[in-house]
Amino acid sequence: MRTDLTFTIVKPTAFEKNYLGPIIEIFNRNGFKIKAMKLTRMNREKAKEFYAEHETKPFFESLLSYMTSGPVVVAVLQKENAIADFREMIGATDPAKAQFGTLRKMFADSKEANAVHGSDSNESAQREMSIFFTEEELFFD
Ligand code: UDP
Ligand code: MG
């Protein structure tokens, strides 16, 4: 399985606040190339599938309603060691615990509305990108 791809979502609040431009700028500055990208709005079914691993968590219902509350931008990004480097760049799930200079520290409003998603493994990245993109939309070298 390839290790140079990750999947991201610029979440509803970050998009609404016009942080998309600054966030993409930081992706690029950190060496991530955009391989696929679209503006979309998740429905409940898609959000449930995407966050299936969290189905039993107390925050699940709130997370579904948040992630379907407005448009998001989904993207596949490419860089060597993509998963770990991207997770380091976005910072901890809770922005209160995220390091200075991380995207979540800079752009998140709360633990739920934490600006950006980043895949946690190569397997997750493959699963997540296939939820949002067709084979034809993925132009990999
Ligand atoms: N989340 C939440 N409350 C929590 C933990 C997570 O609302 O206590 C939300 C948050 O938006 C997070 C997402 O659920 O990004 C997925 O949680 P996960 O633990 O996978 O965090 P991540 O991998 O996004 O850092
Ligand atoms: Mg996660």
Side-chain angles (χ1 to χ4, degrees), residues 37-90:
M37 180 172 273
K38 69 171 74 161
L39 176 64
T40 184
R41 183 166 176 171
M42 298 171 78
N43 60 26
R44 190 180 156 84
E45 282 316 298
K46 199 160 254 200
K48 273 182 88 166
E49 183 185 1
F50 186 77
Y51 281 121
E53 65 169 309
H54 296 304
E55 204 156 2
T56 60
K57 308 276 173 65
F59 60 82
F60 188 62
E61 275 305 321
S62 176
L63 181 61
L64 295 186
S65 86
Y66 173 61
M67 291 302 291
T68 58
S69 67
V72 296
V73 170
V74 296
V76 178
L77 304 176
Q78 184 175 34
K79 180 188 187 290
E80 211 176 283
N81 197 35
I83 301 292
D85 287 2
F86 193 82
R87 298 277 297 192
E88 188 180 339
M89 179 180 69
I90 68 178

Side-chain angles (χ1 to χ4, degrees), residues 7-123:
F7 175 83
T8 187
I9 303 178
V10 176
K11 297 189 182 186
T13 314
F15 181 76
E16 169 61 24
K17 290 178 143 182
N18 291 331
Y19 293 155
L20 180 64
I23 288 171
I24 291 175
E25 160 81 28
I26 293 167
F27 291 168
N28 289 156
R29 207 189 300 149
N30 282 274
F32 290 92
K33 276 194 78 68
I34 298 167
K35 302 305 285 185
M37 180 172 273
K38 69 171 74 161
L39 176 64
T40 184
R41 183 166 176 171
M42 298 171 78
N43 60 26
R44 190 180 156 84
E45 282 316 298
K46 199 160 254 200
K48 273 182 88 166
E49 183 185 1
F50 186 77
Y51 281 121
E53 65 169 309
H54 296 304
E55 204 156 2
T56 60
K57 308 276 173 65
F59 60 82
F60 188 62
E61 275 305 321
S62 176
L63 181 61
L64 295 186
S65 86
Y66 173 61
M67 291 302 291
T68 58
S69 67
V72 296
V73 170
V74 296
V76 178
L77 304 176
Q78 184 175 34
K79 180 188 187 290
E80 211 176 283
N81 197 35
I83 301 292
D85 287 2
F86 193 82
R87 298 277 297 192
E88 188 180 339
M89 179 180 69
I90 68 178
T93 306
D94 182 350
K97 295 181 182 148
Q99 297 211 359
F100 284 95
T102 61
L103 283 168
R104 282 166 166 173
K105 185 55 130 193
M106 291 188 274
F107 298 111
D109 288 322
S110 66
K111 193 172 185 182
E112 178 176 74
N114 60 0
V116 273
H117 167 82
S119 307
D120 64 7
S121 67
N122 295 307
E123 291 75 13

